[in-house]
Amino acid sequence: MVGWILKKIVGSKNQRELRRLAPAVRRINEFDEQFKSLSDDALRAKTAAWKDELAKISDPEEQWNRLAEILPEAFAVVKNAARRLKERRHSFAVCDQPMTWDMVHFDVQLLGGIVLHRGRIAEMATGEGKTLVATLPLYLNALTSRGAHLVTVNDYLARRDAEWMGALYNFLGLTVGCIQHDQEPDVRRQQYACDITYGTNSEFGFDYLRDNGMATTREQQVQRGYHYAIVDEVDSILIDEARTPLIISGPATISTHQYDKWKPLIEQLVRKQTMLCNRVASEAAEKFEQGDVETAGRLMFKVKLGQPRNKQLLRMMEDPDKRRAIDKAELAFYTDTRKEELFALKEELFFTIDEKSNEADLSEQGRTFLNPDDPNAFVLPDLINEFTEIDLDETLSPEEKDKRKSERQQICDEQAERIHNISNLLRAYCVFDKDVQYVVEENKVVIVDEFTGRKMPGRRWSDGLHQAVEAKEGVQIDRETQTLATITIQNYFRLYQKLAGMTGTAETEAAEFHDIYKLDVNVVPTNRPVARKDHNDRIYKTRREKYNAVINEIREHHTKQQPVLVGTVSVEASELLSRMLKREKIPHNVLNAKFHMQEAEIVMRAGQPGTVTISTNMAGRGTDIKLGPGVPENGGLFVLGTERHEARRIDRQLRGRCARQGDPGGSRFYVSFEDDLMRNFGAADRMTKIMERFGLEEGQELEHRWLNKSVETAQKRVEQRNYLIRKRTLDFDDVMNMQREVVYTYRNEVIDSEDPRTLIYEVIDEAVPAKLKEYLDVDEPNFGGLIHWVNTTFPLGLTKDKAQFETRSVDENAQFLIGKVKEAYERKSSHEEPSAVKSLERYIILNAIDRLWQEHLYAMDALREGVYLRGYAQKDPLIEYKTEAYDMFVELMANIKNEVLHNLFRSTSNLQAFENFLASLPQFLLREDAPTAPTAPARARQPQPVGAMAGVAMDGDGAGEMSIDLPVRRSLPKVGRNEPCPCGSGKKYKNCCGRTA
Ligand code: ADP
């Protein structure tokens, strides 16, 4: 209350901020007036002049300051150009359709443009013309020639907006590009080279991953930095997509999941559970009959634990008395602090499902059913205890102890894997529904985004869940894949020096934008007052009654030719409604994940008289619904929500689809007690009371503005929970993000280095002393081991006598060895062609990074999964994860260096050179009977030299202590003679690294 009064007196923070921008808007308009007298060329000349000036400023900070200074003038240039295009009725083509330019920026649009330039989120209602707003800051920021990006939700909008707004940019002398899914790298590079580039978040993200994680030369990279980006529909991208990272993956070498094997048993188990729950529910029904409400409530709570979507349960929840009995039982179980009774109850089932947290848990009975011989097959052994016992067993030698431990460890790993598979399958059967969370298409399971209803082809649930659902649906189970590169969309956007966003709905999530992305939200007022009438929610007992009422209301509007847009939360719901409408012979269009091709056109027609359009929540976002003739007089577009969404934002989006630019329009939401939101998070108790008080009849509804509040409270509760989940995901991802940055930076340094030899030497300088410390900086220095390592890594043929390691300090030894290694390396390289050596050196490092980084990603996945199992030990999984991830990363970096050392003398750009090098080695290093001794004539071999095995035998100190093979690894991929050389030279392989003579 106080807050409300304060707002009235001093105005909200948002209003104050916007008021401060008002003078800038005035100045833009003044400039615009002045520019009217300029010729086209004079107006256009400003672009080039600013570009020249800004190019001379190298400090980004200073550049930003200069941009802020020229903002009013630059925005005026854009507005003035728009005016000229409009006056000339400039015609051009957009997505092959004729188009005439008809827009000049409104004042609120100028305001929105300033907000975007400042790196904030501009909340502007649907139809306010965000596409045009973005032209202002994009033009201004592109003047730095560092590239300005606009991120759209789909490829179609990227192309449409680039071509549409392109008219304006081209008039002003800026180039504009557009990234599309099917473009080749060359084309992409051209698009990124433009002043302004439009594209979707996943295309931008994948290009980043390919550039930084896969390209091996500068020429292969397509992007050119992350300067300024505006994210359109920023809430959908930063909030809704926060859970699915972009992943580039390849097939893993081994598949450990065994879903097909477990599927039949799990199917039986699920069936048994269903039968059990049905039996219990019938028993409960009898108890209710007999008036034993308490027992009945307990029984039904059991059903809820075992099968939350049980039909009888759902039906009983409609009855206020029964509902209260069940809720009461639930409360009693959860308030019992010892949880013993709850535990006992769970044991009466085969497994339990927690719908809210998406988890599945086997009980003793369930475990026995799955593996009658060994129910412990699904319990993790207590490793710590077992290890301690092994350690204490004095009859075992140290080797035997190690052996036993590793056996136990292996059993534990297998067990964990099995538990994981079963849990995934149970979730697949009991929590994931076809046509809600996913659809099956062309023998594939395709995820449906629960917020947008859009299909997300190519994305997969992680952790084997996707495979479990594939097994359930009986489609081809894709081989377990291994992550080659991954990033969350959020972290991709964090790369930009300046980020801005626009959307119709950001306000409810403002705190999250601020906390996580440091993005503040400014709500920009509409150009004309909003004339939409939002009606109270209508609440029904059951879904069936609710849908009947929805159909009635649709019919009412349809009969008087008022267009209706019906929003649903799932594909399933929109299909159900469509069937009901068909039965009623009401013509309609369905927009859901399954038809996104014609989406934009259907949405455009949704404002014509009498049309009925059913749409999953955000299908067709970004396309504006214009009213047809006679519609405004008829009340405008009516939006009807068939369910309240978990997030208020999504509901606001749906409402915002009508009443654009001051048009008339109305909206209403329908809710039932059977909706997921109400079942899981509704103030069930209170609602039940209200229902009782009013004594609802079949088909009767509740409607009061106080009830809207109750629904909103439930939504806020879910929003908060989802926010915490997203935050958690990001906390975990932050760890990966830092590591990725280090690795990618190093990788790029290698790619860009003109003199990779220095990088190789850095590796030698760091890795050799580290190794020496391992052998010598310990209680009992291991000189033998050190010599062994040296001789298996470098062709130095060191003997105890020659090395004299005992006579020097660790540091002196390091210097000595570094000198020797570099000397040998110089000798090896001297036999090769200088340019080829450079490519090879880069290749050796990149190869080590890529191979080990991928292994590391795999291990990090496992770690992330593993720390949750440790949650039992009351440790915070995140802290555990961070600590271990850090250790693993330190190890990774050391391993990369060691691998480089290891491959230094095992790689060659050309076999002849390698043989020359071998020939130059002292004879005692070479063994006569080596499989491919260098004495064999080189020409007799196949022209894939680098794949060959060259045996170099060394006879250590003559005492026969060491005899080591030095195999040549295939350090360059196997390539055909006429293919481009993998070293990136652009020449054919046979004329470059593959040259044999
Ligand atoms: P939003 O993304 O904000 O929902 P759009 O960018 O799709 O809105 O634009 C909505 C409609 O408003 C488009 O048809 C566009 O042509 C029109 N429009 C936008 N700005 C102006 C303007 N300044 N003058 C006239 N029409 C405009």
Side-chain angles (χ1 to χ4, degrees), residues 552-589:
N552 285 339
E553 173 148 22
I554 295 176
R555 194 186 306 107
E556 266 172 42
H557 296 289
H558 178 67
T559 321
K560 58 172 200 170
Q561 288 292 296
Q562 183 182 16
V564 194
L565 176 71
V566 188
T568 66
V569 295
S570 67
V571 179
E572 191 193 28
S574 58
E575 286 182 347
L576 172 72
L577 263 177
S578 171
R579 278 197 302 276
M580 292 176 78
L581 285 175
K582 244 180 230 149
R583 224 177 296 136
E584 298 286 321
K585 303 213 165 33
I586 301 178
H588 58 277
N589 288 313

Side-chain angles (χ1 to χ4, degrees), residues 771-778 781-783 786 805 810 813:
K771 265 286 173 207
L772 278 175
K773 283 208 179 85
E774 255 175 54
Y775 285 106
L776 305 184
D777 229 0
V778 285
N782 179 357
F783 292 105
L786 173 62
F805 282 134
V810 179
N813 273 328

Side-chain angles (χ1 to χ4, degrees), residues 287-388:
K287 293 282 174 202
F288 273 130
E289 288 276 291
Q290 296 160 6
D292 186 354
V293 178
E294 199 183 323
T295 315
R298 289 169 65 95
L299 289 170
M300 285 319 288
F301 171 58
K302 182 161 138 188
V303 175
K304 193 174 170 191
L305 280 176
Q307 208 188 11
R309 296 181 190 190
N310 179 287
K311 289 213 177 71
Q312 295 189 63
L313 171 69
L314 294 182
R315 213 171 309 132
M316 285 190 198
M317 295 295 267
E318 290 169 19
D319 179 319
D321 285 333
K322 291 180 182 157
R323 184 191 182 103
R324 202 171 34 226
I326 301 169
D327 288 343
K328 211 167 138 195
E330 175 163 6
L331 200 66
F333 276 109
Y334 282 112
T335 40
D336 165 25
T337 43
R338 287 173 306 142
K339 299 274 186 297
E340 269 175 21
E341 281 191 58
L342 181 63
F343 184 74
L345 191 69
K346 286 186 174 176
E347 286 302 313
E348 288 169 29
L349 295 156
F350 291 96
F351 55 88
T352 52
I353 294 282
D354 186 342
E355 218 183 347
K356 283 189 212 171
S357 64
N358 257 346
E359 269 161 27
D361 222 358
L362 276 180
S363 70
E364 185 69 38
Q365 273 199 72
R367 289 195 285 267
T368 315
F369 173 79
L370 289 179
N371 198 345
D373 305 328
D374 180 13
N376 283 337
F378 304 102
V379 188
L380 275 190
D382 180 354
L383 263 198
I384 307 292
N385 233 341
E386 292 187 3
F387 279 16
T388 321

Side-chain angles (χ1 to χ4, degrees), residues 641-658:
T642 55
E643 197 162 317
R644 279 281 185 178
H645 198 273
E646 283 186 356
R648 286 171 295 164
R649 185 171 48 84
I650 309 283
D651 292 342
R652 288 186 65 209
Q653 249 157 36
L654 182 63
R655 287 209 141 125
R657 311 277 331 218
C658 70

Side-chain angles (χ1 to χ4, degrees), residues 661-951:
Q661 291 285 341
D663 283 344
S667 73
R668 185 194 300 282
F669 279 87
Y670 280 78
V671 178
S672 93
F673 283 143
E674 287 180 340
D675 296 351
D676 289 342
L677 175 75
M678 301 303 282
R679 279 196 302 124
N680 291 329
F681 302 93
D685 230 25
R686 240 176 76 203
M687 290 280 179
T688 318
K689 270 198 207 112
I690 296 173
M691 271 165 59
E692 272 179 344
R693 174 129 30 95
F694 288 86
L696 278 193
E697 306 267 316
E698 164 87 21
Q700 210 182 347
E701 81 251 0
L702 287 173
E703 186 185 329
H704 195 279
R705 75 193 149 82
W706 290 352
L707 287 178
N708 301 350
K709 274 277 170 234
S710 306
V711 177
E712 195 173 340
T713 312
Q715 288 178 308
K716 280 188 186 161
R717 227 173 277 154
V718 195
E719 280 168 16
Q720 183 60 21
R721 210 191 92 225
N722 286 342
Y723 169 58
L724 291 176
I725 295 176
R726 285 192 294 269
K727 176 116 181 44
R728 192 93 182 141
T729 311
L730 280 175
D731 285 341
F732 273 89
D733 194 58
D734 276 347
V735 178
M736 265 306 293
N737 197 42
M738 277 185 290
Q739 300 188 351
R740 178 176 42 237
E741 267 176 44
V742 175
V743 170
Y744 282 2
T745 310
Y746 185 36
R747 227 182 156 276
N748 276 322
E749 201 184 326
V750 177
I751 292 175
D752 288 336
S753 166
E754 272 310 304
D755 184 15
R757 179 74 51 94
T758 46
L759 294 172
I760 295 275
Y761 280 5
E762 268 172 27
V763 170
I764 297 177
D765 289 338
E766 282 173 38
V768 168
K771 265 286 173 207
L772 278 175
K773 283 208 179 85
E774 255 175 54
Y775 285 106
L776 305 184
D777 229 0
V778 285
D779 291 343
E780 280 181 44
N782 179 357
F783 292 105
L786 173 62
I787 291 194
H788 181 83
W789 173 74
V790 170
N791 284 329
T792 44
T793 314
F794 314 110
L796 295 179
L798 276 190
T799 58
K800 261 180 139 172
D801 290 343
K802 279 198 209 158
Q804 293 286 331
F805 282 134
E806 292 90 338
T807 63
R808 294 187 220 95
S809 71
V810 179
D811 283 347
E812 285 164 352
N813 273 328
Q815 288 319 310
F816 163 77
L817 199 56
I818 289 171
K820 285 263 177 221
V821 173
K822 288 185 181 170
E823 189 189 320
Y825 185 70
E826 293 289 339
R827 191 143 41 87
K828 168 182 179 278
S829 314
S830 68
H831 293 275
E832 307 193 43
E833 208 211 315
S835 72
V837 171
K838 277 192 186 180
S839 304
L840 182 66
E841 284 169 343
R842 285 196 199 99
Y843 204 88
I844 289 176
I845 309 182
L846 290 179
N847 213 26
I849 297 177
D850 292 350
R851 194 180 73 75
L852 292 164
W853 171 244
Q854 278 160 24
E855 262 177 27
H856 178 75
L857 287 179
Y858 196 72
M860 290 279 284
D861 275 352
L863 173 66
R864 196 161 163 162
E865 205 178 290
V867 289
Y868 276 105
L869 291 175
R870 283 182 233 168
Y872 294 123
Q874 314 224 310
K875 288 180 184 158
D876 180 357
L878 180 63
I879 295 180
E880 291 273 292
Y881 178 73
K882 279 187 179 166
T883 328
E884 289 207 23
Y886 178 78
D887 292 345
M888 276 165 61
F889 189 66
V890 172
E891 205 178 305
L892 166 73
M893 294 315 274
N895 285 343
I896 290 178
K897 289 180 187 129
N898 284 332
E899 173 132 337
V900 170
L901 285 191
H902 189 263
N903 285 340
L904 218 46
F905 292 93
R906 286 173 169 77
S907 314
T908 180
S909 57
N910 137 0
L911 186 65
Q912 186 65 57
F914 193 71
E915 300 203 329
N916 290 344
F917 164 63
L918 290 182
S920 77
L921 288 176
Q923 277 309 299
F924 73 89
L925 282 180
L926 306 173
R927 197 169 63 187
E928 282 300 302
D929 60 350
T932 47
T935 43
R939 263 158 222 48
R941 283 212 212 107
Q942 293 307 305
Q944 299 113 358
V946 286
M949 297 282 283

Side-chain angles (χ1 to χ4, degrees), residues 102-106 109 125-132 160 164 622 624 626 660:
D102 61 352
M103 303 180 284
V104 182
H105 304 77
F106 301 129
Q109 291 180 319
T126 317
E128 286 296 301
K130 289 184 278 292
T131 321
L132 184 66
R160 186 199 73 178
W164 189 13
D624 185 40
K626 287 193 175 136
R660 54 180 285 285

Side-chain angles (χ1 to χ4, degrees), residues 249-269:
S249 55
T253 27
I254 23 162
S255 168
T256 44
H257 292 278
Q258 309 171 323
Y259 294 112
D260 269 345
K261 179 179 153 213
W262 290 108
K263 176 185 162 168
L265 274 176
I266 294 294
E267 246 169 24
Q268 283 182 39
L269 189 68

